[in-house]
Amino acid sequence: MIQSPCINICSIDARTSLCLGCGRTIDEVAGWSTLTPARRAAVMAELPARMSAAGLSHPAKAAE
């Protein structure tokens, strides 16, 4: 099984072009299964900082 940051809240923010659930771009979401494991890991490592810089909060974190 391919590791994914998806939390099933799939909505692209019009302002940032990032998924509100995971922080990936639409191109990353669409091509996730074709990315190398190293590239997927690199994207996943970038997501917290990417969402923070965009002023988005991870829905699970916002509920805490």
Side-chain angles (χ1 to χ4, degrees):
M1 178 172 210
I2 295 175
Q3 186 179 12
S4 171
C6 182
I7 60 169
N8 295 319
I9 298 177
C10 304
S11 182
I12 301 297
D13 180 70
R15 180 180 57 86
T16 64
S17 297
L18 298 175
C19 175
L20 294 171
C22 68
R24 292 179 292 172
T25 66
I26 191 69
D27 289 338
E28 290 167 342
V29 171
W32 195 251
S33 64
T34 64
L35 296 178
T36 65
R39 181 62 189 137
R40 285 193 300 268
V43 170
M44 289 181 67
E46 295 170 9
L47 295 178
R50 184 187 291 182
M51 288 187 77
S52 179
L56 301 174
S57 62
H58 189 287
K61 299 287 184 193
E64 293 177 351

